[in-house]
Amino acid sequence: MKTDKQKIWFVTGASKGFGLLFVKQLLATGQNVAATSRTTAELIKTIGDSENFLPLEVDLASDSSVAAAIAKTEAKFGGLDVLVNNAGYGIGGSLEEVEDRDVRAAFDINVFAVFNTIRHTLPIMRKQQSGHIINIASIAGVAPGSGWAAYSAAKSAVIGLSEALAQDVQPFGITVTAVAPGGFRTSFLSKESLAVPKNRNGAYDNINEMLIRYQGLDGKQAGDPEKGVAIMIQTAFEQNPPLHLLLGSDAYRRATAKFESQMNEFENLKDTTTSTDF
């Protein structure tokens, strides 16, 4: 990993999975890292104390909590170069089965937390006239699958906001990368990271059976999280980082199949589509 400059990083959801690996790899290369978790005790126990490390207890759904964490990061390190929006969790099931409160809770962390962190990071990056934002979405946000409507909607939102944001902040020397990972051997499929409906509807037995099979893949996914995190970190040191970054051979297959099918559909309906013009 080429890290020819010490940067200041703010990583959300750092207690496990990609987030924890981000912190470990960054500290190993001498980077300055602020990392969020719902509680800092586990972070400190796992990572230890370091002058380059600032563990933060943050409620990412709270704008004021996020603002305070960003302010502490700037006060300790003197700026903020890279924001990594990693925090999030899965929510599976048909839309008839998932409860409103569960969908809203998932959007609070998967989507609105991203708005919160970006909102309070941009003033610092604009002042610096530099910065990089990494928003970790999912291949489900590019090529949704059956049984993942709520999760796909949230991750599609992250990709869409990243695409628009990249245009908004380009004049300030700020870049954005939206990452769409496929299956990686993180804790994503654990009970703590994947919400499933408490009350099942027999009309959707096929979706419920799929979720059971999917959870059985825990620890068998093709993606190596260490390699994935190293690639994401590298984007922050590139002069022209990608706006879209697929991670995993499964992500590549799903995305290319989706866009090929979509283009065929667009072309088949071209006459209909263009017939609405004056």
Side-chain angles (χ1 to χ4, degrees):
M1 185 192 311
K2 183 182 179 183
T3 53
D4 54 359
K5 179 186 176 184
Q6 187 183 53
K7 293 180 181 289
I8 301 160
W9 296 68
F10 188 93
V11 182
T12 68
S15 62
K16 57 187 176 182
F18 279 148
L20 182 57
L21 292 177
F22 259 103
V23 175
K24 289 182 175 180
Q25 290 192 22
L26 290 169
L27 290 176
T29 58
Q31 303 294 299
N32 295 312
V33 184
T36 81
S37 180
R38 283 173 291 185
T39 60
T40 57
E42 196 64 29
L43 266 182
I44 296 170
K45 179 181 177 181
T46 304
I47 304 298
D49 291 324
S50 167
E51 186 63 29
N52 290 18
F53 180 48
L54 176 63
L56 296 163
E57 186 171 315
V58 182
D59 176 3
L60 293 171
S62 165
D63 188 63
S64 59
S65 181
V66 170
I70 297 292
K72 289 176 183 177
T73 302
E74 185 180 24
K76 178 173 176 61
F77 296 122
L80 205 170
D81 298 307
V82 188
L83 168 64
V84 181
N85 278 308
N86 164 74
Y89 63 91
I91 176 169
S94 73
L95 284 186
E96 282 192 69
E97 295 173 310
V98 294
E99 295 184 25
D100 177 76
R101 63 182 179 183
D102 293 331
V103 175
R104 291 179 185 276
F107 267 71
D108 276 344
I109 301 303
N110 287 314
V111 180
F112 296 119
V114 176
F115 279 99
N116 290 342
T117 58
I118 292 172
R119 183 184 300 114
H120 294 291
T121 296
L122 284 180
I124 301 171
M125 291 184 173
R126 281 194 295 103
K127 183 179 179 181
Q128 296 171 168
Q129 290 290 290
S130 66
H132 186 55
I133 297 170
I134 300 173
N135 293 328
I136 302 179
S138 166
I139 189 57
V142 177
S146 175
W148 300 97
Y151 183 65
S152 297
K155 293 305 185 179
S156 294
V158 171
I159 293 171
L161 76 87
S162 299
E163 291 171 341
L165 176 68
Q167 298 174 64
D168 292 345
V169 300
Q170 189 273 334
F172 310 119
I174 302 169
T175 52
V176 181
T177 295
V179 186
F184 278 78
R185 294 184 193 179
T186 64
S187 57
F188 178 79
L189 294 179
S190 68
K191 293 181 179 180
E192 295 77 21
S193 299
L194 177 60
V196 295
K198 298 178 182 66
N199 300 309
R200 301 296 175 87
N201 185 325
Y204 296 100
D205 280 345
N206 60 323
I207 289 178
N208 295 323
E209 290 169 4
M210 177 276 295
L211 289 175
I212 293 171
R213 290 195 304 272
Y214 198 77
Q215 288 173 300
L217 296 174
D218 192 18
K220 302 174 185 176
Q221 303 95 322
D224 181 338
E226 291 277 5
K227 292 179 180 178
V229 167
I231 289 173
M232 286 188 276
I233 289 174
Q234 190 59 50
T235 65
F237 295 92
E238 296 175 7
Q239 186 172 358
N240 297 299
L243 172 56
H244 301 99
L245 176 61
L246 298 173
L247 287 180
S249 57
D250 56 338
Y252 180 82
R253 287 193 300 270
R254 283 177 61 175
T256 52
K258 151 66 181 291
F259 288 123
E260 182 179 350
S261 173
Q262 192 172 55
M263 284 305 303
N264 288 336
E265 187 175 28
F266 289 162
E267 288 301 317
N268 289 338
L269 290 170
K270 180 179 178 180
D271 291 342
T272 301
T273 299
T274 58
S275 69
T276 58
D277 294 349
F278 281 106

